[in-house]
Amino acid sequence: MARTTTAPGGRAARFPFPFTSDGYRYAVNVEPARAPVRTAAGGWGETVVDVDDDYRAELAERARILAADPTRCTVLPHMRAASWDALLYLLRELAAGHAGVMALTDLGGGRMSWRNDLLGVDLAFTVGDDTGVPGGPLAFAGSQVQEDIVLLDQREDALWADAGLVTFAADWSLNFDVGMSFLEVHGPVPRVHATGVVPRAQAFLMRLAPGREYRRTNWTVTAGHRLDTSTEAYPEWGRERALAAASPETLGDTLHLRVEVQHLLRLAPSGAVLFLIRTHLLGLREVARVPEWRHRFAAVLTELPDDLVDYKGLSRYRDGIVAWLAAAGGSHRVDDEA
Ligand code: HEM
């Protein structure tokens, strides 16, 4: 595989640790995409689409989820053109980053061919013909990239989440949100309306010029190495969360710091906004192996206001994590028990 997560330094080496200070508040934390970021354990950020060692496993997981619940890919009829823009953008990105194993070739007359040796895909299709790509353009895009995908239409002076392929949502539901405005989608998030974060983010996105690419991170904590923490899957992960909270001494092995690297750009020619969400999970024990991360994560959690703690679903184990991190640092348990 062209890029690796596992060596040297393990999964942590490419983990996008999200905290740049000992406190955390919501902000319009966007920055230009593709700028490399150095972390205490390695680095990340040079690409928009990120293929790693979990590529096949995560795509198989996505296929399983989609087969069980087709609503995870929903495209309102007016977003067909944008779905094709998204597919072509993503295939071009993949091909550019993995030239030895992936290729997108223009065959002329609207025909294209796509080869992906990592998945054994070799396919010719006509741009705009939904029947030529398995599942249609958005579903096919989601079968080639690990990112979740949302497409926003811009009209009536607002953005609308009118299409998406989302199998790894962090406590929300594409099926519930599809067709909502940007402001409505963010309705449940505390503080961001009163502080103007969400209106400012929408204004920023509505001014996005084609060709400009931005990114931001978001984070939470997940019990188990589980990507699908959607509203639909709550019966499963809610139970795991309760079990994890009931055993504070084993939090290091059950909990994961969950970081989303989100990319934002405007597609051409449709003019839709493409929102990509790539989810990374790093076990608490692995976080704690990096002293700077152990201290910083504990400091952020200690200081995090209760409404943010509640919204992120951390109420049951915030104190437990802080205690576990402190003990891990004090006794070198992190390495001893690995
Ligand atoms: C959640 C900000 C772009 C969809 C959030 C949260 C913040 C935020 C602060 C709370 C996250 C947490 O604590 O876990 C922003 C900013 C953006 C942006 C600053 C752009 C600059 C988008 C876009 C979409 C989106 C383009 C696509 C529709 C969501 C959803 C949630 C969320 C679905 C979860 C809401 C829920 O609890 O149901 N966003 N966001 N965001 N955001 Fe955004």
Side-chain angles (χ1 to χ4, degrees):
M1 191 158 298
R3 303 181 68 90
T4 70
T5 47
T6 47
R11 212 176 273 273
R14 293 187 64 236
F15 187 70
F17 187 75
F19 306 117
T20 51
S21 75
D22 286 349
Y24 176 85
R25 292 293 183 278
Y26 293 143
V28 188
N29 56 328
V30 286
E31 61 183 15
R34 301 184 194 274
V37 179
R38 300 309 305 164
T39 69
W44 62 278
E46 286 170 23
T47 59
V48 170
V49 176
D50 183 8
V51 173
D52 67 20
D53 281 356
D54 297 323
Y55 185 60
R56 286 189 200 83
E58 291 188 6
L59 292 182
E61 172 73 351
R62 170 167 293 149
R64 187 191 62 74
I65 294 165
L66 262 180
D69 179 4
T71 69
R72 307 292 185 98
C73 180
T74 302
V75 180
L76 298 187
H78 62 281
M79 300 304 276
R80 274 193 64 242
S83 301
W84 276 100
D85 289 350
L87 174 61
L88 294 179
Y89 172 84
L90 292 168
L91 296 185
R92 280 189 198 109
E93 278 301 306
L94 282 171
H98 304 84
V101 288
M102 300 184 192
L104 183 68
T105 310
D106 192 338
L107 303 174
R111 296 280 293 167
M112 310 279 280
S113 82
W114 171 243
R115 201 193 83 230
N116 181 344
D117 295 343
L118 299 183
L119 300 177
V121 174
D122 195 352
L123 178 78
F125 59 87
T126 302
V127 176
D129 176 4
D130 286 13
T131 61
V133 285
L138 202 57
F140 185 58
S143 73
Q144 305 297 299
V145 297
Q146 285 160 268
E147 282 73 10
D148 278 324
I149 306 167
V150 180
L151 292 167
L152 296 102
D153 190 29
Q154 187 162 329
R155 62 177 193 275
E156 299 156 21
D157 208 21
L159 289 167
W160 303 83
D162 283 346
L165 186 156
V166 180
T167 49
F168 306 144
D171 204 359
W172 62 282
S173 159
L174 173 74
N175 191 33
F176 183 75
D177 282 6
V178 81
M180 283 188 185
S181 71
F182 186 83
L183 299 190
E184 288 166 345
V185 165
H186 288 92
V189 185
R191 296 183 180 219
V192 289
H193 301 273
T195 57
V197 165
V198 155
R200 280 204 304 283
Q202 176 169 255
F204 168 81
L205 293 175
M206 288 178 61
R207 287 193 308 269
L208 251 184
R212 305 296 297 273
E213 299 164 326
Y214 289 87
R215 71 174 178 223
R216 63 186 295 271
T217 56
N218 183 42
W219 69 277
T220 188
V221 172
T222 298
H225 194 273
R226 167 183 287 280
L227 287 169
D228 180 11
T229 52
S230 59
T231 312
E232 288 86 347
Y234 179 75
E236 296 161 38
W237 59 264
R239 197 170 47 240
E240 272 184 57
R241 183 168 68 177
L243 285 172
S247 304
E249 65 289 350
T250 58
L251 287 182
D253 300 307
T254 50
L255 297 188
H256 293 72
L257 175 56
R258 177 188 183 107
V259 178
E260 297 176 350
V261 175
Q262 306 176 342
H263 280 92
L264 297 147
L265 56 103
R266 189 177 300 283
L267 293 166
S270 63
V273 170
L274 174 63
F275 180 52
L276 299 171
I277 310 158
R278 177 71 153 79
T279 301
H280 300 262
L281 293 168
L282 189 69
L284 191 58
R285 187 177 293 283
E286 293 168 90
V287 173
R289 283 204 182 98
V290 183
E292 190 178 316
W293 293 1
R294 185 172 70 236
H295 293 302
R296 180 144 284 172
F297 189 31
V300 165
L301 285 175
T302 304
E303 194 271 347
L304 199 65
D306 288 344
D307 53 346
L308 270 65
V309 170
D310 278 350
Y311 175 72
K312 286 180 179 289
L314 304 180
S315 307
R316 291 176 185 215
Y317 39 49
R318 180 239 297 253
D319 294 346
I321 300 174
V322 172
W324 189 90
L325 289 170
S331 65
H332 302 292
R333 248 179 47 181
V334 182
D335 294 320
D336 296 347
E337 290 182 9

